[in-house]
Structures are given as C-alpha cells and as structure tokens.
Amino acid sequence: MSRLRPVYLVDYACYRPPSHLHAPRQQFIERCKLAGCFSESAIEFQHKILERSGLGDETSIPEYAHCIPPKPSMASAREESEQVMFGALDALFSNTSIKPKDIGILVVNCTAFSPTPSLSAMIVNKYKLRSNIRSFNLGGMGCSAGVIAVDLAKDLLQVHRNTYAVVVSTENITLTGYSGQNKSMLIPNCIFRVGGAAILLSNKSVERRRAKYRLVHVVRTHCGADDKAYKCVYQEQDEAGKMGFSLSKDLMATAGEALRINITTLGPLVLPISEQLLFFTTMVAKKFFNAKVKPYIPDFKLAFDHFCLHAGGRAMIDEMEKNLQLLPVHVEASRATLHRFGNTSSSSIWYELAYIEAKGRMRKNDRVWQIALGSGFKCNSAVWVALRNVKPSSNGAWEDCIDRLPGCHVQ
C-alpha cells in the first residue's frame, strides 16, 4: 500500500466586506420595519435575537439588502457570490503568487445558492482556469461543508500528483432572507452574514518550505439517519408559502450528540493514552454495566493548542465551550469572529484561524482543531499542525480591527 502524500495548506484568504455593506444592529431593525413585510411581533423578536446573538455592528449584508424595499434577484445573488469569491481568490493569488492556470483541482461549497452554470464554473470563467481542471461544486451541505470540501480536495491530492487544489467556502444569503412571521425561521435572518474564504492546498514537496500548515486528520460524522437530526435545520415554506430555513428546538441537543460521536472517533487519533483510557473505561462501564456514571469528557486541551469552533451563534459557542470544558481563551477566536463578521457559515472556521494568526499566537508545531457543525445533521473536524511560526498574510480580514479585539463587548 502506497504511503499517503502530505497535504500542505500553503495559504488562505478570508473576504473582508467593504464598510458600505456593514449592517449595525439598530440599522438592521430599522430596515426590517421599512421592508413592510414583518409584523410588530416579528420585528420585536428579531430585535431580541440580535441583542443576544453575539453579533456586533460591523457584520455585513448583501448589496440588495441595503435597498428600500429590498428586491432580491438572481442577478443580485450572482453579484454577492462574485464579490465574495473573487475578493477572497484575488487576495489568495496575490499573496501566494500562484498563477490561476497552475490550479489542478477546484472545490467550491455553498449551501443555499446553486445556479447554472455553477459557482465553480463562475470561477473557471473568471480566472480562465485550464480546461482539464477537476472542478466540483458542493451544494446544500450546510455550515460544516468547508471541512467536507477540504476532505474531498485531500482525497484528490492523493490521486493527482504534483499539483495545487483550491477550496472556496462561502455562503449566499441574497435569496435566503425570510419575509414571513414564523419565529423559528426568522433566526437565520439575524445571524447569517456575508463572508467566504479561499484556501490553497498542495501535495508538492517543494511547497513545504513556505506552507503554513500540514493536514493531519479529517473526521466526519453524519447523523442524518435520525429523523430529528435530519430536520433540525430544514429549508421549507411556512403556512403562508414563504420560503426559509427553520431551526428546531432540538438543534442544540442534536449538535451536542453529533459532537460527542465525532470526538469518540477523533479522540484515539489525537489524545494521550491516559485520556483515552479514562474516556473508554467510563464509556464501557456505562454501556455494558449500566453504571450510573457521567461520561468522561476527555481533556482536548492536552491534544490541541488552538480551537476554531464554528461561529454559529452565541448559544452554539457556549454549548461547545461547556461540552469540551474549554477556557475563555480557547473560544476567543470564535466569539470575535461572530462579533466582527457574524455567522458566515462554512467559512467561519477560517476567519477564526486568521484571528489566531493576527494575534501572533501560532507557533511551530502547534496543533489546531477546526470543528464545523451544520445541517444534515453533521459534525466535521479537521486537524492541522503548524509548520512554522505563522504570521498573518497581507491584507487579512482582521487588519482593520485586531488591535481592538476581543474587547469587553465580545462575550
């Protein structure tokens, strides 16, 4: 059996929306009032969600949403995707000096917008990528799809030698805004914001010298066989025929169970033997002897130096911090990302990694755990090891604000 080729993360870039797209919380509520489609109860509910969400006043919404009244269209949705994807890719190509025609593999993930031609074709056309490129477009896979895209690129890099793979993780919220009154479907309006990231991977041995990280593990968990898990994040029409995404009351419990299953698989790969023994002893006692003992939560702080937890919302971060028994410093990047950029779906874990770098905390041999949770329901983990003391790349997403974060308002 041939040895697996190392997969290097050469560099990545996160899109930083221009300031004219910022949506301060109070302004967002005023625009909801002017839209004319929400009842007073729906507006008040969104106001409460925003106040508790952990989002700040510099998160961004698409161009169309700044119009009164907003008029979403296919053209404006394409415009949003172009701005985000091309913005991130331009920065990536500039920072790495890689020519677009050198790219052999392209993987794009976006849950809610799947036009024809595809988003991957949009990129091929824009950058005139070569005709034999292996391109893939992943849709409908939720906020955890960024790790799925990395996993797919990793597998392809085992087959195709001496090449580069670009992963673009983004979301499009132009056509997903909900204009009805159902409270469970109003929450996504309040937390999802514009964002995206472009990641350059390679199996070229020569790239090890300048690469930031090496991919160590990817562990994927899919709980879709369970009906409650399958429907806890669900796109549907409400009673009035308005389309949106509903979040069920089982969401946090489902996320916790998906995380538990994921760490059960990941633990033996990364934890010290002492932690593995404690974990599996309590698990066996509970399963076979019906012992009334609390499941032992392994101390993942012994395995990882940095944590990039999906910035799905304040409650989601709180739950993972509690379940994994982390300290405030371990979730600082997630809370700061939620505050500054909002929930950018699958790209949030890359904004968090960029935050850690911008703070100057990433040292050679540090291990990073990216945890992504999303519809399906899925929990996916990616583990990276830093190949050097990592400095932030030029024109990074945090350049304009890193010195004032986290700050007392990031909680």
Side-chain angles (χ1 to χ4, degrees), residues 37 178-182 185 236-243:
C37 58
Y178 175 62
S179 57
Q181 316 305 319
N182 188 316
M185 300 172 78
E236 60 185 348
Q237 291 177 300
D238 66 10
E239 303 80 6
K242 303 281 188 180
M243 186 71 77

Side-chain angles (χ1 to χ4, degrees), residues 65-236:
H66 289 273
C67 301
I68 301 174
K71 293 182 179 179
S73 65
M74 177 61 79
S76 57
R78 287 183 187 276
E79 182 182 11
E80 180 192 348
S81 288
E82 289 173 354
Q83 286 179 343
V84 175
M85 295 192 307
F86 298 167
L89 284 165
D90 285 348
L92 181 68
F93 290 140
S94 174
N95 289 339
T96 60
S97 300
I98 293 292
K99 297 176 182 177
K101 284 194 177 293
D102 290 335
I103 305 303
I105 298 163
L106 173 65
V107 184
V108 179
N109 71 270
C110 179
T111 296
F113 184 51
S114 186
T116 301
S118 66
L119 297 179
S120 58
M122 189 184 292
I123 293 171
V124 171
N125 177 259
K126 165 70 176 179
Y127 295 97
K128 309 307 177 190
L129 303 185
R130 62 200 202 198
S131 61
N132 65 343
I133 190 166
R134 280 84 177 178
S135 67
F136 300 83
N137 203 95
L138 308 180
M141 302 195 77
C143 298
S144 67
V147 174
I148 296 173
V150 167
D151 193 33
L152 175 57
K154 176 205 72 175
D155 289 345
L156 291 165
L157 286 169
Q158 298 307 312
V159 178
H160 303 285
R161 299 185 175 195
N162 205 37
T163 191
Y164 295 100
V166 166
V167 171
V168 178
S169 290
T170 187
E171 194 47 81
N172 188 298
I173 59 176
T174 293
L175 297 179
T176 62
Y178 175 62
S179 57
Q181 316 305 319
N182 188 316
K183 290 183 178 180
S184 72
M185 300 172 78
L186 285 168
I187 297 173
N189 285 359
C190 304
I191 61 174
F192 280 94
R193 294 294 184 264
V194 169
I199 303 97
L200 179 65
L201 305 173
S202 183
N203 54 15
K204 292 188 174 189
S205 57
V206 69
E207 287 295 356
R208 192 189 190 287
R209 287 180 294 180
R210 67 163 176 166
K212 290 185 171 184
Y213 306 94
R214 178 175 57 83
L215 183 61
V216 183
H217 302 293
V218 175
V219 173
R220 292 166 56 179
T221 300
H222 202 312
C223 299
D226 179 83
D227 290 344
K228 283 186 177 180
Y230 175 69
K231 282 205 166 186
C232 71
V233 180
Y234 201 73
Q235 188 176 23
E236 60 185 348

